[in-house]
Amino acid sequence: MTETPLHHQPTPAPRRQVGGDYYFDDFEVGQTFTTRGATLTEAQILDFAWTYDPQPFHLDKVAAADWGYDGLIASGFQTLIIGFRLFYQEKIINACSLGSPGLDELRWLQPVRPDDTLHVVAEVLELRASRSKPDRGIAVLAYETRRQNGDVVLPYRCTHIFKLRSAPPAGDGAGGQRPVPGPDRRQEA
């Protein structure tokens, strides 16, 4: 994949750590991030398909045309993985990510083809403190993987578990819960 320095304008967050990494405390509902781009080559599409998704329309131009795709297309799983890598490379969640319980509303809207340049736009939809673990919070982000012309090829929502910058001290009067500041954030009861 060829890196293309497109659309690199992550929205700055308050209290952003030097070095670029965010923590749960740094995110705001409505905040958006746009990644750099990466261009997908035919060789990369073929390599991924042979290894992980050997459907004919990912492996052979003629077969792809016969299937109605008018040429070779990338695996949707490859598109998802590339989008995640692009977001991760922005160092937005690297310091705070504790994983994810899953994705929702994942759709493959349009095929991705050789020489498409992909980038990701992500928006913070929801933030809430963990009820059981005061050192973390839950964030829901909406992701859109887009090609160079702005068309959305793969949207989804991801529920993330993020570390707080610093855990509240025990006996803080909040029952071990860290209050989440800001009018758009809710704290679980």
Side-chain angles (χ1 to χ4, degrees):
M1 197 166 7
T2 306
E3 295 291 330
T4 307
L6 297 178
H7 312 290
H8 180 57
Q9 300 168 344
T11 304
R15 301 174 310 280
R16 183 172 180 177
Q17 176 185 351
V18 175
D21 287 317
Y22 287 68
Y23 287 82
F24 178 77
D25 326 53
D26 299 317
F27 291 96
E28 298 287 339
V29 170
Q31 187 174 28
T32 61
F33 302 91
T34 301
T35 71
R36 294 175 176 96
T39 301
L40 191 57
T41 66
E42 182 175 314
Q44 290 167 324
I45 290 171
L46 293 170
D47 183 58
F48 187 92
W50 278 113
T51 306
Y52 301 107
D53 191 355
Q55 297 182 76
F57 38 84
H58 300 319
L59 293 170
D60 182 280
K61 292 177 190 178
V62 174
D66 290 344
W67 282 81
Y69 290 108
D70 196 33
L72 194 67
I73 64 170
S75 167
F77 296 108
Q78 184 177 22
T79 304
L80 176 65
I81 291 165
I82 290 168
F84 177 77
R85 192 205 78 189
L86 288 170
F87 192 72
Y88 196 78
Q89 284 180 314
E90 295 295 334
K91 296 189 178 196
I92 297 164
I93 63 171
N94 303 34
C96 70
S97 180
L98 295 170
S100 168
L103 307 176
D104 295 301
E105 302 177 31
L106 173 66
R107 301 290 181 269
W108 289 287
L109 300 179
Q110 297 183 23
V112 172
R113 301 182 182 283
D115 300 319
D116 273 347
T117 298
L118 304 176
H119 69 279
V120 175
V121 177
E123 179 182 0
V124 180
L125 299 179
E126 182 181 339
L127 296 164
R128 64 184 185 274
S130 170
R131 288 184 214 180
S132 59
K133 301 194 186 239
D135 66 334
R136 62 195 65 186
I138 309 299
V140 178
L141 276 70
Y143 291 89
E144 291 182 344
T145 300
R146 300 178 183 186
R147 74 178 79 209
Q148 62 276 1
N149 64 3
D151 287 350
V152 176
V153 297
L154 187 142
Y156 65 95
R157 291 178 184 222
C158 182
T159 301
H160 293 277
I161 303 169
F162 290 153
K163 290 190 288 189
L164 274 70
R165 186 169 297 283
S166 60
D172 64 357
Q177 298 267 333
R178 178 187 168 100
V180 181
D184 292 336
R185 295 183 179 180
R186 346 183 282 241
Q187 181 166 346
E188 293 184 42

